[in-house]
Amino acid sequence: MRTAATASRRSSAVRHPARAVPSSRRRPRPRHGDIAVDTATGLLVDLHQAPDSARVLPRGRASGRYSCLACGRALELCGPRDQADFTARFRHTRNEIDRCPASPEHLARVRAAVADARALAEHLVAAAPGVRIQAAVTATGEPEVMPVLALRLQAPSGAGVIHLPHGELSDHQADRILASRDTATRQWVLFDRHDGAHYRAAGQVQVRTRRQDQRIDKISPTFGQRRLAQAQLAVAWRDGGTLLLPFGGHPISYPPRAAEDWSGSAASWQRDWKISHPRPADGAAWWGLLPLPLRALAAPALLGAAVTAMTDLEAAQSGREAYRRGKARERYTQQQTRLAPARPQQLALPLPTEPAPSPDSTIPATHQPPQLATHTPATAGPAPDPAPGAAQESRPRRWRRWRRLLARLRSH
């Protein structure tokens, strides 16, 4: 019985062969971790988004031409070109289980970075339909280090490259960005406003331009960001659909001039800041971020608005200095008025009035006021004493009569 049953099963297997397993089940579909970098061109090769690219690329390892975006290892392009039911894919290894050695968390971050770069490219193409964009890679991934993606723009106004760092920018990646510079191509390094490694808040600064108050965010740039700015690269940030262009803020103190008083409450007004642009100059204490539409990356004409805005900030700086110096001059004038000595006022006292003497009355010599000289020469000496005879003649005769009468009485 067993022999017969076994034979019948064998015969049925021959008569009814097993159904062919679909090619999609025999061979795993490409994974996001298999997104490769074409080291010959620097472009990003994603067989999910562009499956026809496998028909023009050489098969196999091609002398190490392909590398994994997540782990940086060399990849092998597998798949015949003449079978429509075969899906081309990249392999890390042939003899072992094909898997990317990167951690699942790192693979997820790489996957999100690629999706973010694609979304930015679609946004720029929609803003400027005449622009052609290719996804590329500036610096390949190191172990557990995010790669630096890039968007290559071909526009009627010229070519440009937008570097997109994700996570902390290493020194090696900064070197790669600087090494890829081309004087004929506009170079942007676009950081993420919501990435903690790319943004360090430093408060806000309020300015008044065109009679409108405006608050601008300030940041403390990292060493890598300062290094890229000093190398004449256009460093910027993005926040959704907003482009944030930096300018340098340098603290200054207005030197006092003549007839200015900066003491007391005016001492704080003497401290101010000045701007440096179009790139923050070396030595800036902080960077301010000027908002513009994100489509300015693909439409260079919109960058003219940035030049106008920077000019307005410089004009506001001159206006602040003129206003504060005017207040310092007012304070100086007030202080001088307050400290000036008051002049004493001379009071006019009324002179005592005496009744005018009658013509018949005589005034004793002891009650008569002294006779003042109307004019005394400067070289004249002291006036001589009057003669005794003259003094006697000046006495009234009535007194002489009384003296004679008294002398007679005494003699008797």
Side-chain angles (χ1 to χ4, degrees), residues 31-35 69-71 100 102-116 144 146-147 149 166:
R31 299 175 297 180
H32 289 281
D34 291 337
I35 299 177
L69 183 63
C71 65
C100 181
S103 64
E105 294 79 9
H106 185 66
L107 285 174
R109 291 194 298 267
V110 172
R111 189 179 306 122
V114 173
D116 180 68
E144 300 300 324
M146 288 293 295
L149 303 181
H166 292 83

Side-chain angles (χ1 to χ4, degrees), residues 251-257 260-273 320-321 324-325 327-328:
I252 59 174
S253 180
Y254 297 126
R257 297 176 181 173
E260 291 182 352
D261 185 2
W262 296 92
S263 61
S265 59
S268 61
W269 284 32
Q270 191 177 6
R271 297 186 296 271
D272 201 3
W273 61 275
R320 286 196 311 271
E321 181 179 1
R324 295 182 181 188
R325 289 192 180 277
K327 290 295 183 180

Side-chain angles (χ1 to χ4, degrees), residues 146-169:
M146 288 293 295
V148 178
L149 303 181
L151 297 179
R152 297 181 180 177
L153 283 68
Q154 294 291 337
S157 58
V161 177
I162 304 175
H163 305 277
L164 301 173
H166 292 83
E168 186 175 0
L169 185 67

Side-chain angles (χ1 to χ4, degrees), residues 30-80:
R31 299 175 297 180
H32 289 281
D34 291 337
I35 299 177
V37 179
D38 188 353
T39 58
T41 59
L43 298 177
L44 190 66
V45 182
D46 189 352
L47 298 179
H48 284 279
Q49 298 293 325
D52 294 338
S53 59
R55 300 182 180 275
V56 297
L57 294 174
R59 293 179 54 193
R61 294 193 175 271
S63 302
R65 179 172 177 173
Y66 314 111
S67 63
C68 179
L69 183 63
C71 65
R73 292 189 177 183
L75 297 178
E76 178 183 1
L77 178 59
C78 303

Side-chain angles (χ1 to χ4, degrees), residues 112-195:
V114 173
D116 180 68
R118 292 193 185 119
L120 178 60
E122 294 175 358
H123 179 83
L124 297 179
V125 169
V131 177
R132 179 173 175 265
I133 300 178
Q134 291 179 312
V137 179
T138 301
T140 56
E142 302 172 7
E144 300 300 324
V145 175
M146 288 293 295
V148 178
L149 303 181
L151 297 179
R152 297 181 180 177
L153 283 68
Q154 294 291 337
S157 58
V161 177
I162 304 175
H163 305 277
L164 301 173
H166 292 83
E168 186 175 0
L169 185 67
S170 64
D171 294 338
H172 170 71
Q173 292 174 339
D175 294 339
R176 292 290 302 169
I177 293 176
L178 296 175
S180 62
R181 285 182 298 173
D182 185 3
T183 56
T185 305
R186 297 189 305 271
Q187 299 284 332
W188 290 85
V189 184
L190 196 58
F191 294 95
D192 190 357
R193 164 69 173 78
H194 300 282
D195 194 333

